[in-house]
Amino acid sequence: MNENVQVFVEQFNESTIDCQKFCFMARGKEFQEEAVQKLVALKQQASDLKAELIASCDEQSANLLLSLEEAIEALCYELRMWIALKEDDPNSAWDCLISAQSAMLTAIQSHSAVSHLEGYVQRLHFLEKILFPPQTFLSPGIVIEESKCSICGEEYGECDHLKGKPYMGRICAKEITKAKIRECSLVEEPANRHARILRFTDGGITRDVMTWRIITETPNEIVSD
Ligand SMILES: [Zn+2]
């Protein structure tokens, strides 16, 4: 392994263990905010090192750095979730948790070096179940008319890149550029857990699904995304 990468992996292990100390509701908000700042700086270091590795065409190490970047991002989002809960903003806290789960999925897909963090993935799913009430999700039924590969820009399926696989420090995604929405269904296990019902009306009273508080203003939107 490249020496700079090895040094960074050690720093990653130390810093993330240190910041995980603050991933509890009981910890002081000021320490959680400080940990977020440290992780933002650590992620920048990872990005800078990844850029060097890409320049020297070291694909394995660039993918490893992508994996670490995403794991740092996940931890940052978890801390932001605890902060948002303390600020009485559970809707933002939910979005932070779902973003943390997505970042960890990318981290695991990018390199086997973080496969030992499977337990952390489980923790994020466990937090979803114990911190938030059950949610109702929305899933659009769409007909994809045009999509492109995020790595090379070719029409998706025409190149050799596969979505969810890492290529020189970047994860491949199928970018939908043109689609028709056919229907929208209520589902329990959606592809996108950000898309959910935010409020409901019963007997003339509209409530926030998350907080149960009564909403008096006219809603402009019914789902977040
Ligand atoms: Zn491609």
Side-chain angles (χ1 to χ4, degrees):
M1 195 193 286
N2 175 312
E3 198 185 328
N4 290 342
V5 175
Q6 207 160 0
V7 170
F8 187 80
V9 168
E10 281 165 24
Q11 196 184 344
F12 167 87
N13 288 334
E14 267 175 39
S15 303
T16 51
I17 287 169
D18 190 47
C19 290
Q20 274 177 310
K21 279 198 306 228
F22 304 107
C23 287
F24 295 96
M25 190 68 179
R27 296 298 197 204
K29 193 174 128 191
E30 67 277 24
F31 298 113
Q32 292 170 332
E33 284 167 343
E34 204 179 298
V36 167
Q37 293 309 315
K38 277 186 193 164
L39 290 169
V40 167
L42 186 69
K43 192 181 170 212
Q44 185 58 52
Q45 269 182 271
S47 303
D48 294 344
L49 180 54
K50 189 179 83 174
E52 284 174 28
L53 295 161
I54 292 170
S56 60
C57 296
D58 183 349
E59 185 169 26
Q60 271 301 314
S61 303
N63 291 345
L64 193 158
L65 263 291
L66 166 66
S67 188
L68 300 184
E69 270 182 321
E70 293 293 326
I72 296 165
E73 183 85 340
L75 195 50
C76 229
Y77 271 121
E78 188 195 332
L79 285 156
R80 288 187 173 126
M81 176 199 75
W82 292 115
I83 294 167
L85 284 173
K86 289 178 177 183
E87 289 172 349
D88 197 16
D89 186 0
N91 285 298
S92 298
W94 171 271
D95 284 329
C96 288
L97 179 61
I98 300 307
S99 297
Q101 291 173 348
S102 303
M104 270 318 290
L105 179 66
T106 307
I108 299 273
Q109 285 173 332
S110 303
H111 201 277
S112 58
V114 296
S115 55
H116 65 289
L117 297 178
E118 278 288 350
Y120 184 60
V121 175
Q122 296 306 316
R123 171 188 163 82
L124 295 176
H125 285 287
F126 184 59
L127 288 176
E128 179 187 327
K129 300 296 175 208
I130 59 164
L131 292 175
F132 299 93
Q135 300 295 307
T136 305
F137 301 99
L138 293 162
S139 178
I142 58 169
V143 177
I144 297 170
E145 294 181 339
E146 279 176 26
S147 62
K148 62 176 190 175
C149 165
S150 66
I151 301 292
C152 67
E154 287 265 318
E155 191 180 327
Y156 188 82
E158 292 298 308
C159 61
D160 291 335
H161 302 121
L162 296 170
K163 64 176 179 179
K165 295 272 177 212
Y167 297 93
M168 197 59 89
R170 286 191 297 158
I171 200 92
C172 176
K174 181 180 181 178
E175 291 178 346
I176 298 166
T177 47
K178 198 174 168 193
K180 274 196 184 124
I181 295 185
R182 284 285 158 88
E183 83 259 321
C184 204
S185 326
L186 298 180
V187 293
E188 283 184 13
E189 287 301 325
N192 175 4
R193 299 175 89 74
H194 287 290
R196 61 188 177 88
I197 302 280
L198 294 181
R199 57 192 79 187
F200 68 95
T201 303
D202 186 21
I205 295 173
T206 302
R207 291 184 187 273
D208 183 299
V209 165
M210 198 67 91
T211 62
W212 205 254
R213 290 186 180 124
I214 293 172
I215 297 166
T216 47
E217 80 273 22
T218 312
N220 293 322
E221 47 162 12
I222 58 160
V223 296
S224 76
D225 197 349

